[in-house]
Amino acid sequence: MRFGLFDSGVGGFTILKKVTSRSPNISLIYLADTKRLPYGIKKYNEIIEIAEEIAFWFSQQNIDGILVACNTTNAIALDVIKNKLDIPVFDLIGSASSIIQDSRVGVLATPSTVKTKAYTNAILNFKPKTFVIEQSCPEFVPLIEKNKIKSEEIRDVAIRYLKPLLKENIQSLILGCSHYPLIKPLLSSLLPSDVKLIDPAEALSLKLKLFIDSKNSLNTKKKYLVNSKFYVTSDPTNFANSAKYWLDVFPEVKLVSLQKKAWVS
Ligand code: DGL
């Protein structure tokens, strides 16, 4: 079985890592729309258009399911992905929201995700009395993409973003952008030890594993990521270097261009 996975950039690595650790024999097609990164400050309509292009590209890749490894697209355009692709869709927001236990929850996410209140709505749907506070974090993704994950700058930014959430005595903190687990050590160091960090990729990868196991079709052992393919919309070398840093593999990364208005509806 082959699954598609997409993000604007390296954030999808956090999903890829969780998914391959739970389902080691999976083969993935990873699309990073590096040309248009960051997504998290884009307008609603732009994200919808991008989602249509991504769905069209994946419709030609012969995949059995798709992992929406980008919370911003998940928040704004999940229906686009679902409607355009007639295959199982695994999302982060729905998966994470369904496993929330605590009654005071913080969410860190991109400005575009926060605007939709998608996490608040999804959590309240499962657990109506939960207090949810969402914090928009525009500066994280550009700093993470530049690999400034150990800089003073990102630390100061993180302190500023966490302050309002800590004032509200949150018990759990959802990393509502797939880039943020890449700075988990920094965030943990700034949080009281009793605040649980929730990486939505955990819940997504569990759902995916259950799905794969139910199909029982991945029973031959293969090597880590040997079957996976990587595509970007700009600068393949930079992305391959990022994969080396985060995943310890140096994959072949191919350049693709996504098509506008490719759907005949
Ligand atoms: N990692 C994506 C997300 O989860 C996109 C971040 C961005 O490009 O701003 O929202």
Side-chain angles (χ1 to χ4, degrees), residues 7-8 11 37-40 69-72 110 113 141 176-179:
D7 182 42
S8 58
L37 172 136
Y39 279 4
C70 168
N71 288 269
T72 309
T110 66
T113 300
V141 168
C177 166
S178 54
H179 281 71

Side-chain angles (χ1 to χ4, degrees), residues 190-219:
L190 299 172
L191 288 168
S193 56
D194 56 345
V195 175
K196 296 180 206 96
L197 272 182
I198 298 182
D199 176 355
E202 283 288 351
L204 182 150
S205 58
L206 190 59
K207 270 196 185 172
L208 180 65
K209 182 180 165 35
L210 295 174
F211 175 79
I212 290 172
D213 289 352
S214 75
K215 304 283 173 199
N216 199 20
S217 64
L218 292 176
N219 41 16

